[in-house]
Amino acid sequence: MITRRLNKIQSNFVLLLSFSALVVLFTYLYWDNDIPYFQRDPFVKVKKYTPFIHNELVKYHLEKYTPVLIALMQQESHGKGGDPMQSSESIGLPPNSIKDPNESIQMGVKHFRKILTYGQEKQVDFATIIQAYNMGIGYINYVAEHGGKHREELAKDFSLLQVQKHPKIYACKKSLFKSRYPYCYGDYSYSEKVTKNINSLTASNK
């Protein structure tokens, strides 16, 4: 009798714990500042930087690329941290060395302008230019030598070349979950991800 009562108490306790966990999960997923989860704008954090990005691009008469830079920032950081454009590495510094978002945007725009200008000179497609934001200007040269149009296969090949040149610097572990191994240099699917961001951003602004 006592054993049965203890089992019942334990069962009720487990049910109460499970219910509490569901309530917490529901609150976390569905509510943030009174905004239902499925109504949130995934670009809300990066959009707050729109005026800064636009004004910086205006300096170079490139303001039409504002949505592109917002999409790049979304892919780089989702608008979080002191270096939301992840510009530190583009100026030869370790990741996240920049702590000021305004400086990050300034450097990010300069980096974008550099690869855009060079990409246009080398007559590669815009997808290559986007990929070069992640893989560097060397990727533009590589694509120019292989038809002028970005393909994921080219990005993978370029990544492997960089890994072979600097195996100790560009190393990543093989894993069953979302591993980029053996393509440890850059993100070979970066251009596709940013393009998807651009399309989502355009749709959300309609």
Side-chain angles (χ1 to χ4, degrees):
M1 189 75 176
I2 295 174
T3 304
R4 188 180 298 175
R5 185 175 297 174
L6 284 172
N7 288 337
K8 188 175 182 181
I9 291 171
Q10 286 177 343
S11 298
N12 289 339
F13 179 74
V14 170
L15 285 171
L16 181 62
L17 223 82
S18 300
F19 178 76
S20 300
L22 285 172
V23 169
V24 171
L25 184 64
F26 178 86
T27 303
Y28 176 77
L29 289 177
Y30 290 87
W31 297 98
D32 183 10
N33 297 324
D34 297 325
I35 302 173
Y37 179 75
F38 291 110
Q39 292 179 19
R40 290 185 209 160
D41 182 353
F43 296 92
V44 67
K45 290 185 182 296
V46 298
K47 280 182 177 179
K48 69 180 181 181
Y49 290 114
T50 299
F52 302 98
I53 292 171
H54 177 82
N55 291 339
E56 199 61 33
L57 285 167
V58 166
K59 295 178 183 179
Y60 307 106
H61 308 290
L62 296 175
E63 58 270 21
K64 70 177 182 179
Y65 292 104
T66 299
V68 176
L69 269 291
I70 293 172
L72 284 169
M73 182 187 284
Q74 177 74 359
Q75 189 58 38
E76 291 292 338
S77 69
H78 296 279
K80 300 175 182 178
D83 189 6
M85 292 298 299
Q86 292 293 289
S87 304
S88 299
E89 291 175 272
S90 70
I91 56 175
L93 297 175
N96 297 308
S97 294
I98 295 174
K99 305 299 181 184
D100 179 5
N102 288 336
E103 183 184 355
S104 176
I105 291 169
Q106 289 172 357
M107 295 300 105
V109 169
K110 284 183 179 179
H111 179 50
F112 175 76
R113 180 195 179 210
K114 180 180 179 181
I115 58 175
L116 175 67
T117 302
Y118 190 68
Q120 290 172 340
E121 289 175 1
K122 300 295 285 186
Q123 298 182 336
V124 298
D125 63 352
F126 193 63
T128 298
I129 291 168
I130 293 176
Q131 186 70 33
Y133 189 91
N134 174 260
M135 285 188 157
I137 208 163
Y139 183 67
I140 292 175
N141 291 325
Y142 188 77
V143 172
E145 294 167 0
H146 293 81
K149 291 186 178 182
H150 164 76
R151 301 193 313 276
E152 189 173 285
E153 290 77 12
L154 286 179
K156 286 181 174 180
D157 292 343
F158 184 74
S159 178
L160 285 178
L161 284 174
Q162 305 313 305
V163 172
Q164 289 166 6
K165 289 178 184 177
H166 308 284
K168 292 183 180 180
I169 297 175
Y170 305 118
C172 56
K173 294 181 179 180
K174 190 174 183 179
S175 171
L176 293 174
F177 304 100
K178 296 183 179 179
S179 174
R180 54 190 178 128
Y181 180 88
Y183 312 105
C184 302
Y185 176 84
D187 177 359
Y188 59 79
S189 59
Y190 187 83
S191 185
E192 285 73 18
K193 291 172 181 174
V194 173
T195 300
K196 185 178 179 180
N197 287 343
I198 294 171
N199 293 336
S200 298
L201 184 64
T202 302
S204 69
N205 288 333
K206 286 182 180 178

